[in-house]
Amino acid sequence: MNTLNHVAIIMDGNGRWAKKNSLPRSAGHYKGVEVLRNITIYANRLGIKALTVYAFSTENWKRSAEEVNYIMSLPKIFFSSYIKELMDNNVKINIIGDRERIPAETMKVINDAIEETSRNTGLVLSFAFNYGSRDEIVRACKKYAQDYKEGKVEDLDEESFKSYLYTNDLPEVDLLIRTAGELRVSNFLLYQIAYSEFVVTDTLWPDFTNETLDYCIEQYQGRKRSFGGRDETKNN
Ligand code: IPE
Ligand code: IPE
Ligand code: MG
């Protein structure tokens, strides 16, 4: 069995789901929020320690104001509906990304949820919200340069570099799932997925169920992870 501490998901296909059901794109995002609730509870039940979900990228600002505004209202919908359940399930909320550009009222709702769940010890649900990996890496470099100039740090190595990333406190990403079939990472966790296993499913995010997660984990468990090494006991 491969250990499975951290699952990351690129939740894609909300728009296609809406189109398939002759609904506005917002309905796809709304259904996606419900699915996220289910998957969070289920992943926690499976003993997964960290779930990181791509909810809004630094490139998603290119969408219509109507769609962006709707997505910015989703944290309120998510937390007002599910905070009690998240508390009951010991889930801890976290956010990764550039908080500066997120509207103040959205940030308030997120900060309240982070504060309320801060003492929980179960699964850590991290929202990648206004997240872009290139942005994250550039920020990390700038912060390190500043710390170096101020004499706070010495040399940089892979381990210390990690502490400058948003994912500082999270375990290594074991499994990266992308829904809706696209074979790309779209600026998500570029540094962190160096040795993650990828599973791409054609299932659209709003159609994603516990069984789809089971399928992804089954795929993951079938993989032989060697991290660049060789298994000397097998002739491979
Ligand atoms: C993912 O679904 C959600 C966000 C990117 C915010 P999309 O909205 O990208 O759905 P498709 O790709 O158009 O189907
Ligand atoms: C990736 O999906 C971002 C999120 C899921 C939040 P996109 O739909 O934005 O990615 P592309 O445009 O297909 O690469
Ligand atoms: Mg998409």
Side-chain angles (χ1 to χ4, degrees):
M1 284 266 280
N2 293 317
T3 50
L4 183 55
N5 289 322
H6 189 173
V7 176
I9 308 182
I10 301 173
M11 307 183 293
D12 199 15
N14 294 352
R16 276 163 277 179
W17 182 90
K19 193 164 185 202
K20 189 179 82 174
N21 291 284
S22 312
L23 293 165
R25 291 181 66 83
S26 58
H29 296 312
Y30 183 84
K31 181 72 182 3
V33 164
E34 275 181 16
V35 168
L36 179 59
R37 173 256 169 218
N38 294 342
I39 293 303
T40 301
I41 305 290
Y42 186 55
N44 185 42
R45 196 144 43 89
L46 294 178
I48 291 166
K49 303 213 168 16
L51 177 65
T52 301
V53 294
Y54 207 7
F56 190 83
S57 76
T58 47
E59 287 73 36
N60 286 148
W61 296 102
K62 291 178 196 158
R63 298 189 181 197
S64 73
E66 189 192 356
E67 183 169 358
V68 169
N69 289 341
Y70 186 73
I71 294 171
M72 290 298 144
S73 76
L74 290 175
K76 191 170 181 183
I77 295 174
F78 184 81
F79 292 120
S80 64
S81 311
Y82 305 128
I83 193 75
K84 190 183 171 303
E85 221 176 348
L86 295 169
M87 285 302 289
D88 290 346
N89 283 275
N90 203 17
V91 171
K92 184 172 173 166
I93 301 299
N94 181 37
I95 180 172
I96 62 171
D98 172 15
R99 301 174 187 208
E100 296 284 296
R101 203 173 163 187
I102 298 172
E105 60 273 33
T106 306
M107 229 20 258
K108 167 146 188 10
V109 170
I110 296 171
N111 280 332
D112 286 350
I114 291 173
E115 167 57 28
E116 195 169 342
T117 62
S118 62
R119 279 162 297 277
N120 289 351
T121 54
L123 177 140
V124 177
L125 173 62
S126 300
F127 285 87
F129 206 63
N130 194 23
Y131 174 88
S133 197
R134 288 179 170 179
D135 174 64
E136 176 185 38
I137 291 168
V138 170
R139 272 163 194 276
C141 293
K142 282 186 180 165
K143 180 81 176 45
Y144 169 73
Q146 188 62 35
D147 284 354
Y148 187 81
K149 222 164 79 184
E150 291 170 13
K152 289 184 189 157
V153 287
E154 302 266 305
D155 207 4
L156 192 63
D157 58 23
E158 286 188 12
E159 214 35 55
S160 55
F161 186 68
K162 278 189 201 164
S163 69
Y164 287 95
L165 298 173
Y166 293 125
T167 48
N168 180 22
D169 297 327
L170 299 171
E172 290 284 320
V173 177
D174 297 304
L175 168 60
L176 173 68
I177 298 169
R178 182 163 188 147
T179 64
E182 242 58 74
L183 298 176
R184 55 177 173 257
V185 284
S186 304
N187 203 12
F188 191 43
L189 303 176
L190 301 181
Y191 188 87
Q192 295 87 339
I193 58 175
Y195 268 105
S196 309
E197 296 294 327
F198 283 21
V199 175
V200 175
T201 161
D202 286 335
T203 304
L204 307 173
W205 177 250
D207 287 328
F208 198 93
T209 62
N210 293 353
E211 287 68 36
T212 330
L213 183 61
D214 287 340
Y215 163 81
C216 295
I217 293 174
E218 208 177 282
Q219 295 292 309
Y220 169 76
Q221 289 302 356
R223 305 279 172 85
K224 188 182 155 300
R225 304 187 80 187
S226 42
F227 302 95
R230 289 177 66 237
D231 184 347
E232 302 290 343
T233 61
K234 299 198 183 83
N235 195 22
N236 64 4

